[in-house]
Amino acid sequence: MDGPLSRGPPQRWAKKTANENINPGLSASFKNHSNVNISACNLSMQKLSVSGNLSCNNSVLLSSNKTPIRNDNKKGKKTPSKTKSPGRSTTPTPNKASKTPNKADRFIPSRSNSNYDLCHYMMSRDEDKSEEAVAQTAASEAIGRALADTEPGRLLQYTCKAPAAPEGYQNRLRVVYSQAKIPSSVKNTTRYIPQAPDRILDAPDILDDYYLNLVDWSSSNILAVALGNSVYLWNAGTGQIEQLCTLEGSETVCSVQWVQGGGSHLAIGTSSATVELWDCEKIKRLRVMDGHTGRVGSLAWNMYIVSSGARDGNIVHHDVRQRDHAVATIHAHTQEICGLKWSPDGKCLASGGNDNLLNIWPVVQGQHYSQPQHLYSFNQHLAAVKGLAWCPWSAGILASGGGTADRTIRIWNIKTGANLNTVDTKSQVCSIVWSTHYKELISGHGYANNQLVIWKYPVMSRVAELSGHMARVLHLALSPDGTTVLSAGADETLRLWKCFMLDPSKKKEPTDSKAAKSLLNLNSLIR
């Protein structure tokens, strides 16, 4: 029983000894193989091959790192067995680790958009320089210079950006994530602009003529409207309507203009080349002034001087205090004058004509009428210049609009003669009014959009578009409180738009203008 066994299968320790004698270089060859795989892994880290090869190489690298440590602690090497033995390492064998499971236990992102050359360079540049690293110094520096020239961005990009939404798409949930990102300064400047008129009034028989000026709103809140051969007064506060006058025969009213400073006097230009002065409180005509040979389509007041522009191309300055009222006559344009505006400070008169010219006339020193020689003559417009408006809060700024062939609004600095901005409105410009509460202006348009447009000054970007008129918007007028705009259209309607309403928390007390304080009382001057 104590002797060696000569029959039966060899013992387990005998098999192990026999295997070691037959393959004495197995351990050494495995180490060499590990070194090869390590070099291959380094090469694959540079090229960053597919994830399947990377997983296999990492498995070999893991086995090669742990196997020598276990062999150093033990003299013998046990034959792999399916049965766990005490003290056996829980690390899976290379054959088991190399098998990729059917369902991955982690997310491997798409590497198609990742910059692996930059990744490898950034990871390896801080390592200790070995002999192999020293040999690749030149290549690494070249890669670094090349990567430094590229645009900065992410080193790893897991997914591509979401595709852009189709044109015109509106996200219903936009307010959920955009409302919180709006700066407080932007919130304070936004306001609600009604897209529908506050009131609509009938204006039967209003003339559909681009060159006339048939609407004006006084500082005492009385609206004057010319309908055919008659002039009507509408009290915006009480809603009362009163007929002021009716011209005789086939004469028609071509222009109306209230005196400055809240007076009750109204100047009326007629088709018979005369200018009539009316006292609207007494419903009485005070005088008739001539001086033209064509219809008077535009009027403008400067203190006690009323300037009239007519189809004959002349500007006549009438002093309503004197018997000889025509104090100056200027041959201003070669065709009909359709726009005429005095600046708020009374120093310049702007005139626009059907000859496509915009002329600026300086005031005579010590007087309230203009010189016969213009200060500027602008010819940039390509059609009749009817829409004229001086900025009420910035001295020397003038807005002008051209007709169908031009369709532009131009902003001028009269102090320097510069054209500050030009915007193509895509429609005939019939009238322009500046806001007194906001840095904006509103324009009325004809062919082909028939709408009102609010513009942000000075960039001249569209703030809002107000539609409703079925024909071109010929005339605009601003209420004395600066909150409401009245538009008169060729569709025989008057529409009131509350587009410049003030924020209740920002309302200011109304102040009288300098012109109103210094204006003489015409009731005492006119006999």
Side-chain angles (χ1 to χ4, degrees):
M1 294 296 293
D2 296 335
L5 297 176
S6 59
R7 296 184 182 180
Q11 297 296 323
R12 185 174 179 180
W13 62 269
K15 290 182 179 181
K16 179 178 178 181
T17 305
N19 290 336
E20 289 180 356
N21 293 333
I22 296 173
N23 297 317
L26 180 59
S27 178
S29 63
F30 180 76
K31 292 181 180 180
N32 294 334
H33 181 66
S34 300
N35 294 332
V36 174
N37 287 332
I38 292 174
S39 300
C41 181
N42 291 333
L43 183 59
S44 63
M45 287 295 291
Q46 297 178 8
K47 296 183 178 181
L48 293 174
S49 57
V50 295
S51 60
N53 293 333
L54 185 59
S55 299
C56 179
N57 292 333
N58 288 337
S59 299
V60 175
L61 182 62
L62 183 64
S63 301
S64 60
N65 288 336
K66 290 188 176 182
T67 302
I69 296 174
R70 188 175 61 185
N71 291 338
D72 292 340
N73 296 333
K74 297 182 180 181
K75 297 180 180 181
K77 182 178 179 181
K78 295 183 180 180
T79 303
S81 174
K82 294 182 179 180
T83 305
K84 288 186 177 181
S85 59
R88 183 184 175 185
S89 174
T90 58
T91 304
T93 59
N95 291 335
K96 291 184 179 180
S98 62
K99 293 181 180 180
T100 304
N102 294 332
K103 295 184 179 180
D105 58 350
R106 59 191 175 92
F107 171 70
I108 301 178
S110 174
R111 295 178 170 83
S112 58
N113 295 324
S114 300
N115 193 342
Y116 288 107
D117 291 338
L118 180 59
C119 294
H120 176 70
Y121 170 73
M122 298 297 291
M123 293 172 60
S124 60
R125 65 175 183 175
D126 295 331
E127 295 179 354
D128 295 336
K129 293 185 178 180
S130 61
E131 296 180 358
E132 183 179 359
V134 173
Q136 296 179 354
T137 300
S140 300
E141 292 179 354
I143 294 176
R145 289 193 299 269
L147 294 176
D149 297 336
T150 60
E151 296 181 358
R154 297 180 180 179
L155 297 182
L156 297 177
Q157 183 174 350
Y158 296 110
T159 57
C160 299
K161 294 183 179 180
E167 184 177 359
Y169 173 75
Q170 296 293 335
N171 189 351
R172 295 178 297 174
L173 300 178
R174 179 182 57 180
V175 67
V176 175
Y177 53 83
S178 63
Q179 193 69 20
K181 297 181 180 180
I182 299 177
S184 58
S185 59
V186 176
K187 292 181 181 179
N188 295 335
T189 59
T190 58
R191 70 182 191 278
Y192 171 69
I193 301 177
Q195 296 298 307
D198 183 64
R199 296 187 64 178
I200 300 178
L201 306 175
D202 290 329
D205 300 328
I206 190 170
L207 298 178
D208 184 7
D209 195 324
Y210 174 79
Y211 302 97
L212 306 183
N213 295 271
L214 305 177
V215 172
D216 193 33
W217 205 331
S218 74
S219 56
S220 57
N221 209 19
I222 305 297
L223 181 70
V225 182
L227 303 177
N229 62 347
S230 302
V231 176
Y232 292 87
L233 305 177
W234 177 66
N235 190 319
T238 63
Q240 182 181 357
I241 300 175
E242 188 174 11
Q243 184 175 353
L244 177 65
C245 66
T246 300
L247 302 182
E248 299 178 354
S250 59
E251 291 185 25
T252 57
V253 179
C254 299
S255 57
V256 294
Q257 185 72 33
W258 287 99
V259 71
Q260 294 173 328
S264 61
H265 293 85
L266 180 70
I268 299 174
T270 69
S271 59
S272 58
T274 61
V275 177
E276 298 183 359
L277 184 62
W278 284 78
D279 186 342
C280 296
E281 287 184 353
K282 299 178 180 180
I283 313 298
K284 179 182 178 180
R285 186 174 70 179
L286 301 178
R287 66 186 304 179
V288 179
M289 298 173 287
D290 55 11
H292 290 286
T293 59
R295 66 178 187 178
V296 181
S298 55
L299 295 167
W301 283 89
N302 188 19
M303 301 292 290
Y304 45 81
I305 298 293
V306 58
S307 304
S308 58
R311 179 173 279 181
D312 57 13
N314 294 336
I315 296 176
V316 178
H317 299 293
H318 309 272
D319 189 339
V320 298
R321 305 172 301 171
Q322 302 179 10
R323 176 181 294 273
D324 297 330
H325 55 84
V327 294
T329 301
I330 302 171
H331 183 67
H333 294 268
T334 58
Q335 296 188 39
E336 182 172 9
I337 298 174
C338 51
L340 199 64
K341 294 289 182 181
W342 275 100
S343 61
D345 57 8
K347 295 181 179 180
C348 290
L349 175 67
S351 65
N354 197 31
D355 55 359
N356 306 348
L357 293 179
L358 169 62
N359 295 331
I360 308 299
W361 310 89
V363 70
V364 175
Q365 186 69 27
Q367 301 295 333
H368 297 288
Y369 53 87
S370 69
Q371 300 178 10
Q373 181 61 38
H374 57 70
L375 178 63
Y376 299 106
S377 182
F378 302 114
N379 60 358
Q380 282 86 342
H381 285 289
L382 304 178
V385 183
K386 180 197 175 187
L388 292 176
W390 292 91
C391 182
W393 33 263
S394 182
I397 301 300
L398 174 69
S400 62
T404 307
D406 182 70
R407 306 180 304 178
T408 63
I409 294 178
R410 295 179 180 269
I411 308 297
W412 308 89
N413 187 340
I414 303 306
K415 296 180 180 179
T416 62
N419 185 189
L420 301 180
N421 204 341
T422 303
V423 58
D424 185 2
T425 66
K426 310 297 182 182
S427 296
Q428 176 190 43
V429 183
C430 301
S431 185
I432 301 174
V433 170
W434 287 87
S435 172
T436 56
H437 299 311
Y438 301 95
K439 290 190 175 181
E440 298 172 353
L441 62 155
I442 185 170
S443 56
H445 297 275
Y447 307 117
N449 291 332
N450 303 329
Q451 63 182 357
L452 289 80
V453 180
I454 301 177
W455 307 88
K456 186 69 175 179
Y457 177 83
V459 296
M460 295 303 290
S461 60
R462 291 180 183 247
V463 176
E465 297 180 2
L466 308 178
S467 302
H469 281 284
M470 304 304 295
R472 56 182 177 171
V473 183
L474 294 170
H475 316 288
L476 295 178
L478 185 66
S479 63
D481 61 1
T483 62
T484 306
V485 173
L486 178 133
S487 60
D491 56 359
E492 298 185 341
T493 63
L494 305 177
R495 299 170 186 259
L496 288 89
W497 311 82
K498 291 187 176 295
C499 53
F500 294 133
M501 293 294 294
L502 278 173
D503 188 343
S505 62
K506 298 181 180 180
K507 283 186 177 180
K508 297 180 180 179
E509 293 296 330
T511 56
D512 296 333
S513 62
K514 293 181 180 180
K517 292 180 180 179
S518 61
L519 181 65
L520 298 177
N521 189 353
L522 293 181
N523 291 322
S524 62
L525 295 176
I526 302 173
R527 305 296 181 187

